[in-house]
Every structure is written in C-alpha cells, then in structure tokens.
Amino acid sequence: MRRARRMKAAALLLAGSMALAACASDEPAGGSGGGGGGGAEAGGEDLRIGLAFDTGGRGDRSFNDAAVAGLEAAKEEHGGEFRDISPNADASNRADLLTQLADEGYNPIIAVGFAYGEVIGDVVEQYPDTTFAIIDSSAAEVGADNLTGLLFSEEQGSFLAGVAAATKSETGHIGFVGGVETPLIQKFEAGYVAGAQAVNPQIIIDRQYISPAGDFTGFNDPARGKLVAQGMYEAGADIVYHAAGGSGQGVFEAAADAGARAIGVDSDQYQTVGDPRLQAVILTSMLKRVDTAVSSFIDSYVDGSVEGGADITYDLEQDGVGLATSGGFIDDIQDTVDDYRQQIIDGEIEVPTTP
C-alpha cells in the first residue's frame, strides 16, 4: 500500500518540481545528520537529505527531475529538509559534491547518475557513519556497507518503446538518439532495437550518439540533440526515441519542425516538457521510475531497513520501468504493448543489454 501511495505522490510531484527548477534547494544548509543506518529518529525535523545531480542538474525535465520528484514525495511524507547541488561544467567535481554534503551533515546522501560510480567508493569510505545511495551504478561492486545501488532494467522499458515505435511508424523507419555512448545508454539502444525488430524485422533504425564516452555534454546540449534528430527525420524516420537527458528537448523540437513523432525518457515528458507544441509530438515516454527508487530508499532509511552493500533493481515486474500513456497516443496499441510486457515478465523474451 505504501509503495502504491508513494508512486502516485511522486508522479504528481514530478510536474510540480518543474516550477522549482531555478532553486538550489528548498531549505538552507545547517545542522547535523543522523547515523549511517537511519532509523525512526531520522524522520521529521532531523531528516536532512542531500542530492548530488548528474550533468544538467535540476530542470532537465527528465532524469534529474525524476530524482527531485522522489525526494519531494519523501519529504511530504517524512518531513525534514533537503539540499541538491549540481556538478560544474566538466563534471570534474563530483567527489567534492558528495564530500561537501557529508561535511554539512546531510544523511542520507543520494548520487544521481552512473558517473558518480568512479568516485563514490573513496567518499563512502571516508564517511562510514553516513548512508549513501547511487543511481545507475552498482554498490555491490564497491562493497561498502553504507552504500546502496539503485539500478533499473532500462532495456526492458526501451523494448516496449521500440514496440510502440515500430507499431505506430508509417514509414518503417525510426531512430534512436543517445546522449553519451556508454554501456548504460547502450542498454536503452539495445532494448529499443530489439523491441522494434520484434514487431517488424525489416524496420530501418538510425542510431547516433551526441557525444562519445567520457564527454558528458551530450546529456545537456539541446542544440546538438536537435541537429542529430533532424538528420534522422530528413532521412525518412517518423519516430525518434531519445535517451539523452536535457538534450531531448532538441529532439522534440526537431520532431515538431518535421511534423513527426518522438519518444521521451525517464520522466513522463508529455507532462514535463512545458510546451503544447512539443507535447503534441511526444508519442510516449519510457518511464524509468527514479522517483520511486529515491522515495523508497528514503523510506528505508527512515525506518532503519537500508541494506547497505547491495543493489536494488527496478524492472517491468516491479513497474520500475514502463511506458507513459499521457496524451492517449498509444491507447490503440495498448494490447500489443501489454502482450510484449507480459512475455518479458514471464521470461519468454530475454531483452539484450548490448547493441
């Protein structure tokens, strides 16, 4: 019951969090955090949560804002305060951000994005009495008792996005725009391609990344996202799926200019895009319930049940990934989508994680 209530609250708060995009935090820093394991005493005014964003920060209307929605839902239920901070232009200060939050007494601290995986092991070792979580990177590989990994089966949700694209395409030609060429984003690509080909083995699928591995600007460059998507629409694609964070805004703009369609990612971008012209082109969005993962982790911290040193994976069976239905554009193919979803849950379809 609590999980269902929290998912509903997080979904409602996600749209509301867009209006707070210019804020660094909703409360000033100060005070001290609780123990690393959490517990009932961590609720109310003593609860102080730190959130370190991925590239693009608050206001990306996608991945980071989904984390904010989960945090706000948790605050609504448990009280307390939170602070969120963003990396610098080249994202070289990720370790400093986590250290800053820990020094200021925030506990728990949530690192948003796989790139923190390169630095978080050293940080959590320095702060054994602080509880950390990291989204999209494995805590089990780090082996620290005060770190939990929040992972997702992105390939499963992306498979359904591919099913929707191939079923709705009128040209038999679709596209995929990735933000940065990394193993994580390749999971989105692999699932999308597999889903589309399950529907139409002959379908043409254009695939391109905005920036190479190591260059995280591809997650926050709408102009380049628009340029890449324009090339696909001009080549004949009528639906393009993006897994590119803030750069997805450019993909939507290209779709609107071309009179075509696009598929959003992470959040229900029909609800978050903030522009009726762009809403009209968003066929669906692949929901990655970062909001649910964040709020559930904070629940666990408050009630003292965090299992450090382990990973929690959110998949289709848990509704951790899926497709948004806002706008009603995929209502006519919902039976098809649901059939493939059940086949994946039942193990009849094994979705690849690499292209």
Side-chain angles (χ1 to χ4, degrees):
M1 284 295 292
R2 181 174 70 180
R3 180 173 178 270
R5 185 175 71 252
R6 299 305 304 280
M7 289 182 70
K8 180 178 180 181
L12 291 172
L13 282 163
L14 182 53
S17 71
M18 303 303 105
L20 300 174
C23 300
S25 71
D26 71 339
E27 297 284 352
S32 59
E41 71 279 7
E45 294 181 358
D46 294 330
L47 181 63
R48 302 178 71 242
I49 308 162
L51 191 74
F53 282 129
D54 200 359
T55 300
R58 183 191 278 261
D60 69 349
R61 305 177 187 273
S62 183
F63 182 61
N64 288 306
D65 282 346
V68 173
L71 196 156
E72 291 178 337
K75 181 186 174 185
E76 182 174 283
E77 179 161 326
H78 301 297
E81 64 176 85
F82 70 84
R83 182 180 182 194
D84 54 69
I85 51 180
S86 298
N88 55 17
D90 63 1
S92 61
N93 67 334
R94 284 191 170 90
D96 295 336
L97 298 181
L98 297 176
T99 299
Q100 177 183 342
L101 289 170
D103 284 341
E104 292 175 355
Y106 287 92
N107 190 16
I109 295 170
I110 302 168
V112 183
F114 67 88
Y116 283 97
E118 299 177 0
V119 300
I120 201 165
D122 292 335
V123 177
V124 299
E125 185 177 353
Q126 296 173 40
Y127 299 91
D129 294 325
T130 300
T131 298
F132 293 83
I134 183 168
I135 298 170
D136 287 343
S137 188
S138 173
E141 294 178 2
V142 175
D145 291 340
N146 59 332
L147 176 65
T148 299
L150 306 176
L151 308 180
F152 298 84
S153 297
E154 295 92 351
E155 73 282 359
Q156 294 184 356
S158 296
F159 185 101
L160 299 186
V163 167
T167 306
K168 297 292 285 189
S169 176
E170 297 178 358
T171 64
H173 188 166
I174 60 177
F176 171 82
V177 175
V180 181
E181 192 167 10
T182 65
L184 174 65
I185 305 303
Q186 287 175 331
K187 288 174 68 179
F188 290 83
E189 176 192 351
Y192 180 66
V193 170
Q197 291 178 340
V199 172
N200 178 8
Q202 307 305 318
I203 197 166
I204 299 170
I205 309 172
D206 296 331
R207 292 172 266 178
Q208 188 172 340
Y209 287 83
I210 297 172
S211 64
D215 177 2
F216 294 102
T217 61
F219 288 132
N220 193 34
D221 194 337
R224 288 167 66 192
K226 182 174 183 178
L227 187 64
V228 171
Q230 280 177 332
M232 295 181 180
Y233 291 125
E234 290 171 359
D238 59 350
I239 300 172
V240 173
Y241 172 41
H242 88 84
S247 299
Q249 183 83 3
V251 176
F252 298 147
E253 291 172 359
D257 291 347
R261 293 281 194 184
I263 296 176
V265 76
D266 295 334
S267 301
D268 183 349
Q269 295 203 277
Y270 180 92
Q271 298 292 346
T272 66
V273 71
D275 183 341
R277 177 173 175 266
L278 302 186
Q279 272 187 322
V281 306
I282 299 176
L283 178 69
T284 182
S285 296
M286 197 290 279
L287 298 176
K288 178 175 172 178
R289 297 309 301 266
V290 174
D291 54 344
T292 300
V294 168
S295 61
S296 295
F297 172 73
I298 296 170
D299 282 347
S300 298
Y301 175 80
V302 170
D303 66 25
S305 62
V306 172
E307 295 184 9
D311 297 322
I312 302 171
T313 300
Y314 293 85
D315 58 14
L316 276 180
E317 188 169 7
Q318 296 178 309
D319 291 324
V321 293
L323 291 187
T325 58
S326 296
F329 302 127
I330 63 169
D331 287 355
D332 59 328
I333 63 167
Q334 196 61 55
D335 288 347
T336 299
V337 171
D338 289 344
D339 178 62
Y340 279 105
R341 176 182 183 275
Q342 195 60 48
Q343 288 185 63
I344 294 170
I345 292 173
D346 292 344
E348 298 172 13
I349 294 177
E350 184 174 349
V351 184
T353 57
T354 55

